[in-house]
Amino acid sequence: MLSFATRRLVLSVPTLLFISFVIFMLLQLAPGDPMAQVPLTVPAEVKQKMREALGVGEPALVQYWKWLVQMAWIEPKVFIDWLTRDSWLLGWLPDTALYQGELRVISWQTRSPVMDIVIQRIPQTLWVVGVAYVVAILIALPIGIYSAYKQYSVFDQAGTFVTMIGFSVPPFFTGPLLIVIFAVIAQDTWWLPVLPSIYDTTHEVTNWSSFKYQLQQMVLPVMVLALQITAQLSRYMRASTLDNLNQDYVRTARAKGLSEKIVVLSHVVRNSMIPVVTVIALGIPSIFGGAIITENVFKVNGIGQLLITALFANDLPMVMTLTFIFAVLIVLFNLIADILYGVLDPRIRYD
Amino acid sequence: ERGSDGEVKIIYWQAPSILNPFLSGGTKDVESASMIIEPLARYNEKGELVPWLVDEVPTVGNGGVSADLTTITWKISSGIKWSDGSDFTSADVKFTYDYCTHPEGGCAQLTKFENVESVDTPDANTVVVKFAGPTPNPYGPFVGGESPILQAAQFANCLGAAASTCTEQNFNPIGTGPFVVDEFKPNDVITMSANPNYRDPAKPAFAKVTFKGGGSAAASGTAVMETGEFDYAWNLQLAPDVIAKMQEGGKGTPVAGFGPLVERIMLNQTNPDPNLPEGERSTAMHPHPFLQEPAVYKAMSMAIDRPLLVEIGYGQAGKVSCNWVPAPAAFASEKLSCDTQDIEGAKAMLDAAGIVDSDGDGVREHNGVPLSILYQTSTNAVRQDFQALIKDWWSQIGIETELRNIEASVFFGGDAGSPDTFQKFYADVEMYANTFNGTDPQAYLGNGLCDKAPRPDTQWQGENISRFCMPEFDALHAELTKTADMAERARIGRELNDMMVENGGMIPLVHRGRLSAHANSLGGVVLNVWDSELWNVADWHRIDG
Amino acid sequence: MLDTTDTTTPIARIEKLRVEFETKDGTVVGVEDVSFDIAPGETVCVVGESGSGKSVSSLSLMRLIDYGGGDIANGRLLFDRKDGGEVDLAKTDQSLMRTIRGNEIGMIFQEPMTALNPVFTVGRQLTEGLRVHRGMTKAQAEERALELLREVRIPEPERRLAQYPHELSGGMRQRVVIAMAMACKPRLLIADEPTTALDVTIQAEILALMDRLKRETGTAVMFITHDMAVVAQMADRVVVMFRGNKVEEGSVEEIFENPKHPYTQALLAAVPKLGEMTGKDLPEPMKLLGHEDQPIVPITGSDEVLLTVEGLTTRFPVKGGFFRRTVANVHAVEDVSFKINKGQTLSLVGESGCGKSSAGRSILRLVEPLKGKIDLDGTDVMALSPAKLREARREMQMIFQDPFASLNPQIQLADQVAEPIHNYGTHSGSDVMDVVGNLFDRVELPRSFMRRFPHELSGGQRQRIAIARALALNPKLIVADEAVSALDVSVQAQVINLMMELQAELGLSYLFISHDMAVVERVSHNVGVMYLGRIVELGPRRAVFEDPRHPYTRALMKAVPIADPRRRKSEKDLNFKPIPSPIHPLDYKVEPSQYDEVSPGHFVLTTDSGY
Amino acid sequence: MTEPVASSPAPIEALKDIEPSKPPRSQWKDVWDQLRKHKGAVFGMGFLVFITLAVLIGPYIYTVDPQKLDIRNKDFRPIYTAIWDGDSKVGWNKPLGSDQLGRDNLAQLIAGGRASMAVGWAAMLLSLVIGTFIGVVAGYFKRLDGPLMRLTDLFLSLPILPLLLVAVTLFRQPLRANFGPEGGMFILIVTIIAITSWMPTARIVRGDVLAIKEREFVLAARSIGTTPGRIIGRHLLPNVLSPIMVSAALGLATAIITESALSFLGVGFPSDFPTWGKMLADAVVRMEEFPERVLLPGIAISLTVLSVNYLGDGLRDALDPRIRGR
Ligand SMILES: Nc1ncnc2c1ncn2[C@@H]1O[C@H](COP(=O)(O)OP(=O)(O)OP(=O)(O)O)[C@@H](O)[C@H]1O
Ligand SMILES: Nc1ncnc2c1ncn2[C@@H]1O[C@H](COP(=O)(O)OP(=O)(O)OP(=O)(O)O)[C@@H](O)[C@H]1O
Ligand SMILES: [Mg+2]
Ligand SMILES: [Mg+2]
């Protein structure tokens, strides 16, 4: 297993290099200009000067090489420094001080290191998208299992219907709808809870009431996101459970006199989870990718929102870095999904 | 009393990405920074200059501006302190000049310092700006939100190429303004608190500011007027019926102000035919087959029902306009009028010019070329509604229109490789809005000069988007640059304006104002379109609403 | 235990059982009318062909049929509970059933691999029942589980507890399943085809094991099988079922020696019995009830050699390590040589994993042999290019073991049979369907089946389709890889006869791969016994069966159950060594196979074969 | 002990195989019969036929031009609102009301459906073709598996927006020249949606092919000389139909929604060319006043997706002879 993992990890390096190169070239080809948001009142010569200061005019390969060095060599140094200096995890280690002030990947919009902003955004994204994912899993799995157990029952039919609806309505519809209901209409009613429509990213959880507020402001975006994820996951869980319910070992388990609860929840679910867990793992990169539309609707300034603003501002270093991180996560979670498969299913042995 | 009114929450649907306006130039960045760093003088809501960090605005009359119009001397008020407690001196002002004009700095506000020869500091409170030649409008440098003063001590190491390594400075500039940055989360939120060293001990009334960025205009309008989560929302570019609906929420009020912003249709004077070889398309080499024909562009203009456009698209934030320069009042020409639609008149005019539908397909031809127009603009709900309406009207007078909308970052981006930028203008007509800063339109009027046309050898850069070219216009503009007398300048300006519009450089549509909304409980808001909207944030306070 | 039970009252009585299934197409009757008793300490064998309702009866007794969509429409299932009371299981509710299931009635299923949950350890699955029914703690249950594993004679029981099912061999898995069923000392044990999926040697062991356990604990056993030889070995009494009904019941001797019902008679006639061919040189078709009129003609074949295989070696690389390099090899076929004459049959016998299939596939180059010489009627198969090889495959075809898996479920039968014809373009247009029709006639299937799908056919019919497909190209050699192993006895006999008929008519040569000694005895001219990739004994069938020389051959012969209740084997006779692993490191030196010719054409391996 | 059973079968019959009782029927009739039994599939098919006919024939019956502005009759409510709100602005000439420029909602819904359905189906089919192809090839040819799966990773991480912008820059002009502004954009959008959404299908198909490849009938096909191409076409593809069906249902939904998100971002069809997604996106700001403008296209999208899903379920069962036989 270890050898399998390391092998895959090492093999993923050229893959990622290739992916990063393709993305870089794609972004180079894409039309757009970091100066697009500078008002029209600023004359062309000035814009040209500003572009030069950002290094836009250099040949693409040079730019790519610079980015690569910064991303693969300098940023890790900064990260290690940060780990050993400020983090609670490894802060007790002596400060490594590897970073000597070399040029880092600098965003064109903010003129600050891209990674700093990314790190700043991760908590919001994890809170909202991550919680939505967890909520969705917690809802989807029981629904999937129960629909499969009672196949073609009313519950199953209704579940199919609702999940399909959940899948087919886009978040730019559900989002504003929920805002209208819970933030606008709710103000004039006594029976609807009033919920914030704008996510406060500076909010800090320090006590019970601030925690409550945090929950309140998360409810709407989490609902919108969870609806979509639940829809897909419960379908997978249902299919997988159906497959396993007909297996011989289920009959064996019943023949032993085990109760239905144990038969289903322990024997069947444990097996049905194998493909579903990998589906879940493969979906995790999308958490980090954020949910562009939902984040936008609720002003959750997470990674997705960062990416979309960077795209519109043609902030290539930012876009490039975010997409690359995303690619890394995809490749990584592919690997993790494979490993999980091996862990969950004792029949599978890598090597 | 300072800090007595608690917290104020401001929402901009575009999020500030940096608090140093010299490195960005984006309105969101300039305005958010204006709460922290300030210029020597700024414009008020009427477009008049008011002293800010100085005692009075230098003029020729009070001797602050030399008679030959080559120097201007600013006297800094005494007792002004930076938020860190140190004194604000003329050295900081000079530093700001050095900072922006450094050749490798990529300063966005370089035009402010155009023509400046030197900035001298005879003493700690005096700043002397010398221009290379007579400058009738010497209020470029250090005036207005785009040109605030940076603290020399803080930015000393950030000159030139080092500018982008100064993240800490760019995110937390030390200023003289009413607030200081507590935390800046780029593209997200800024938290600020009252500046303890602010010059007026009674201000600002708010102890804290939360400046949220991002989302959409609709959502920020809702947040102020319907849910009351925020106190101030900037630039609500929404259809009037939507605004009206939000206003029913009863939590806030929209306010509008008018600057020189005009929504217009630019008419391509050159031929954008895709069959022309690359490099000749949309250049002066090939004149447009019919758009230079007066009957055509006049008819196109007559067919438009401008009051309806205002009603549909801008409501109280729009006025019918036939002018390129609708403000300030002195420069606004009154010669042209266009507030009634005249479809029949337009048809008659085309018929009279012999531009008729000869093959019966409903589209008129001019010299055998059908009047088929590709009409592009940036993606934006109101603009798309305008496109639909105008297409409809034009079709009524026998002009066929194909609509195209382009993502704003591409459309307004200057990527020479993209065929979709507004400068390349690979279309017959395009719609967008433009304006100028301050109150003097000289540079703006220069956008009609022949040699400002974008073309391959300028990398498609240039402000003369419609490739308008008239020797008379160029000559008249040259005269403007030499004239100092205000009344005379205004007359020339109006004439240039009329020349452009009458000769088919553009079809002005709507004089757009800016519409922002504030909570009913927020007092002291004075909408200013000539400077940062947040120019008087020090005066904002809480009222019972 | 034996003495506490009153032997006269039966432990379970099935009375007029009728089970129905609600399906989309209406009600399907699984069991129509079945009644029989099981007395304490007795083994009742239920026999019958596939689909006759054996499993349904047993599942009804466990009331597991409810979960399969079945409904006990009629009848009583009386079970004598330990505390004396007699309950009608047909009316018991599921919660009471749970206390009976696994506790008072244990059940063993057919497929040892799928009957165990692949993701739980053997230990966990063994202790589950104990903890539920006996309220044992984890430690107690594990102790008892260990005891059980010892009882079923699993080597290294301590280690097994922590292992997962897939880490055990088929025989061991089945022992675990038996241990599981016996865990709570049930008074009735239901075994639904417990040995069908196993090798002869392992089958012999498992049968012996069950016999011993039954004797030791006095458990009553309901033993379901379709293998008459197994019945002869195990049964006290036999119940014969046919299409949902009981057609005959009697003591094992009665049934075997004096079958009354025509179905039983036919069934017994179809069972090949080891030793039947003693004294005959040539194979001949079986005498089947209803086909008595057909003359039995021995098949002579010819002396012309069709296929010569020399030194055939096939290895599968085992990859590992960081660079995925080959770290070891599975020595599946090791230096195998033989000849097949035109019109004759060579059989390869041996236990699972000894390399029979690999050898067969290597000849068609469906797997690439490492080295060796394959000469098919003058063509050097090993030297062929892919295109030529495809041509050469017209001459040799294959029939696979599993008739369910070897036909594409999505394609109509006629098209499946026509596929090779299309592939080689031997016929075109309407000719194709004529040829296919003739092939259907050949394998004695009505032409009305042509438009049907595989799932609509029984196993034997499917296998005939597979044969028709193999015949479509008029091959000279057919490799029949366990072609009859998955079939019911009666069907098996028909398919064997069909194959022999075709051989006589068309002069086909077969490479017949099987683990069933009785069948092999019936069909072969020559026999090769394989062990660990090598042929340990090769020669004319008569020589090998009547005078086995190699110790492995002898052990194998001994293990084969004989369909005669008077010739039962006891556990003492059995002594098998576990088969060593065929995986060897890269630098492993293989000795060439050396043979001793004990009689003309009868070779015995002298190289150390590991047995 | 043994009583001979009364109806004792003759020995010959005893060993004879049971023939299938039902007479053989044509395969497609069978499929159709099975499909008809599936209630969901019938509903799905019914709705799909209805909606397809509506968008195809609708414009000939309801001849109002969807792009026709009628500014004096703007902001009409659907006629049914008159039932509970007598004062609402309704008119029989605008059965489902009109938008802020007076365009007729019903006509737009019909025209929008045409575009959305066309984009949805075309993109879904194209993405299925790509996904299935890549999946099958990766699963069947071991050597291509690694590279193709890495390619899948690459496409998973490609950001759709820049990709679209690049495609628009590079291909809009030639496509517009050849297919007109709407046709060109249609091709572009369909292609982009397809090439950014085939990856899940490819992954699932690959997994299934890997499993089916090990089944004996594939080996059997090889031994009777079937070429790899035919093995894939005849033996593998029909057996991976069910995951493909599931992908199809989800793919249609994704395609319709992605198209709307694209027009939302301004890189889609010309702005006066209605699609369901765009109608919905445009109406979101006026959701409180004119809920029908979001609900009508929203419901249309959801119902279409739902019917495709049910139809896919039904077809999957009907096309599988094992299930059909039962
Ligand atoms: N779940 C089910 N649904 C419908 N019919 C069923 C079901 N299970 C069994 N049957 C039917 O019941 C009959 C008896 O099946 P059963 O499994 O008992 O046969 P069997 O004698 O055990 O055969 P085998 O030797 O193949 O195991 C068969 O005709 C079968 O079609
Ligand atoms: N494709 C393969 N890759 C690796 N090992 C294989 C492969 N095919 C077979 N083997 C191994 O080669 C050995 C011989 O297998 P083979 O299938 O030929 O045995 P067999 O005698 O036909 O057994 P059975 O009766 O179970 O079919 C076994 O140990 C098996 O695990
Ligand atoms: Mg059975
Ligand atoms: Mg085999």
Side-chain angles (χ1 to χ4, degrees), chain A residues 67-79:
Chain A
W67 174 85
L68 195 64
V69 169
Q70 288 164 353
M71 192 65 210
W73 178 238
I74 296 170
E75 292 296 342
K77 290 205 280 191
V78 177
F79 183 69

Side-chain angles (χ1 to χ4, degrees), chain C residues 147-164:
Chain C
E147 203 177 295
L148 281 163
L149 288 182
R150 287 207 189 91
E151 267 174 42
V152 297
R153 307 253 163 96
I154 282 192
E156 303 178 76
E158 291 85 356
R159 201 155 71 84
R160 304 296 169 210
L161 280 182
Q163 281 182 317
Y164 288 95

Side-chain angles (χ1 to χ4, degrees), chain C residues 287-288 290-296:
Chain C
K287 197 168 188 69
L288 294 180
H291 296 266
E292 288 93 346
D293 45 335
Q294 280 165 6
I296 302 267

Side-chain angles (χ1 to χ4, degrees), chain A residues 31-33 36 38-41 43-44 46 50 109-113 120-121 187 196-199 201-202 299 301 312, chain B residues 17-18 23 25 106-108 111 164 167 171 185-188 212 215 219 223 226-227 229 251 407 409 414-415 418 435 463:
Chain A
D33 174 17
V38 173
L40 298 181
T41 48
V46 176
M50 292 172 74
Q109 279 178 97
T110 65
R111 314 296 173 100
S112 71
Q120 205 175 61
R121 292 300 180 89
Q187 299 206 333
S197 72
I198 292 189
Y199 190 88
T201 41
T202 55
K299 266 65 66 190
N301 285 357
F312 284 138
Chain B
S17 45
I18 193 166
L23 290 183
C107 175
T111 35
S164 49
T167 309
F171 284 4
K185 290 189 174 172
N187 291 339
D188 179 6
K212 174 87 179 175
E226 292 190 275
T227 67
E229 288 167 87
K251 295 247 158 57
E407 163 48 41
S409 68
D415 187 340
S418 165
T435 184
E463 293 79 26

Side-chain angles (χ1 to χ4, degrees), chain C residues 25 248-249 262 361 366 390 397 400 405-406 408-410 419 423-424 452-453 455 461 464 469 490 494, chain D residues 2 9 15 17 20 22 24 216-217 219-220 222-226 230 234-235 238-239 319 321 324-326:
Chain C
D25 295 333
E248 190 165 358
E249 184 179 349
R361 289 174 192 187
L366 286 172
R390 190 167 165 265
Q397 287 291 310
F400 295 89
S406 62
N408 187 337
Q410 302 271 4
E419 192 169 349
N423 284 339
Y424 290 97
R452 301 207 172 259
F453 288 91
H455 69 89
Q461 290 169 332
R464 278 188 251 168
R469 181 172 62 181
S490 53
Q494 291 174 49
Chain D
T2 312
L15 288 181
D17 290 304
K22 285 176 289 181
E216 244 170 24
F217 66 82
L219 192 68
R222 227 150 51 88
S223 76
I224 54 172
T226 311
R230 283 176 66 91
R234 271 174 73 91
H235 297 283
N239 284 294
L319 288 178
R324 188 165 73 231
R326 271 198 242 122

Side-chain angles (χ1 to χ4, degrees), chain B residues 164-446:
Chain B
S164 49
T165 59
C166 290
T167 309
E168 169 61 24
Q169 287 87 336
N170 293 335
F171 284 4
N172 298 288
I174 293 172
T176 54
F179 294 98
V180 290
V181 184
D182 291 336
E183 194 190 6
F184 178 66
K185 290 189 174 172
N187 291 339
D188 179 6
V189 65
I190 316 169
T191 45
M192 297 182 240
S193 51
N195 175 1
N197 292 310
Y198 189 60
R199 51 189 175 275
D200 185 341
K203 291 174 182 174
F206 290 104
K208 292 261 173 221
V209 180
T210 302
F211 191 111
K212 174 87 179 175
S216 61
S220 47
T222 304
V224 170
M225 294 191 278
E226 292 190 275
T227 67
E229 288 167 87
F230 278 77
D231 295 310
Y232 189 84
W234 163 82
N235 196 10
L236 301 177
Q237 290 181 7
L238 294 167
D241 60 322
V242 177
I243 300 263
K245 173 75 197 167
M246 285 178 178
Q247 209 178 341
E248 283 171 24
K251 295 247 158 57
T253 318
V255 285
F258 287 85
L261 184 68
V262 171
E263 185 83 24
R264 79 286 294 281
I265 292 175
M266 297 307 267
L267 303 167
N268 199 341
Q269 304 292 302
T270 60
N271 194 346
D273 187 348
N275 299 320
L276 289 173
E278 198 59 26
E280 294 183 16
R281 204 176 157 192
S282 281
T283 65
M285 274 184 237
H286 305 276
H288 197 277
F290 53 83
L291 277 180
Q292 295 196 5
E293 195 62 41
V296 175
Y297 59 76
K298 290 212 166 105
M300 281 164 72
S301 176
M302 282 161 76
I304 295 171
D305 184 354
R306 289 183 176 78
L308 184 66
L309 289 184
V310 170
E311 183 197 322
I312 293 270
Y314 296 100
Q316 57 169 309
K319 295 178 192 161
V320 170
S321 173
C322 320
N323 287 325
W324 180 18
V325 183
F331 284 89
S333 162
E334 284 169 5
K335 185 174 165 200
L336 306 165
S337 88
C338 54
D339 37 5
T340 42
Q341 185 187 27
D342 184 3
I343 299 267
E344 291 314 314
K347 283 185 189 163
M349 186 181 287
L350 288 168
D351 290 341
I355 303 170
V356 290
D357 179 10
S358 47
D359 54 7
D361 60 354
V363 180
R364 295 171 191 263
E365 284 86 27
H366 175 248
N367 295 338
V369 183
L371 300 190
S372 282
I373 286 178
L374 176 60
Y375 176 8
Q376 68 181 19
T377 186
S378 71
T379 303
N380 165 318
V382 173
R383 290 205 171 117
Q384 265 74 79
D385 284 357
F386 274 28
Q387 276 189 313
L389 286 166
I390 292 172
K391 175 181 178 174
D392 184 42
W393 293 323
W394 285 350
S395 76
Q396 292 179 32
I397 60 167
I399 297 175
E400 177 187 66
T401 314
E402 177 193 326
L403 304 183
R404 176 181 296 170
N405 56 316
I406 298 160
E407 163 48 41
S409 68
V410 175
F411 189 63
F412 294 118
D415 187 340
S418 165
D420 290 331
T421 63
F422 79 116
Q423 286 132 318
K424 239 181 184 169
F425 206 170
Y426 279 2
D428 299 289
V429 302
E430 63 186 6
M431 176 168 69
Y432 62 92
N434 200 357
T435 184
F436 59 94
N437 288 324
T439 52
D440 185 78
Q442 177 182 316
Y444 181 60
L445 288 166

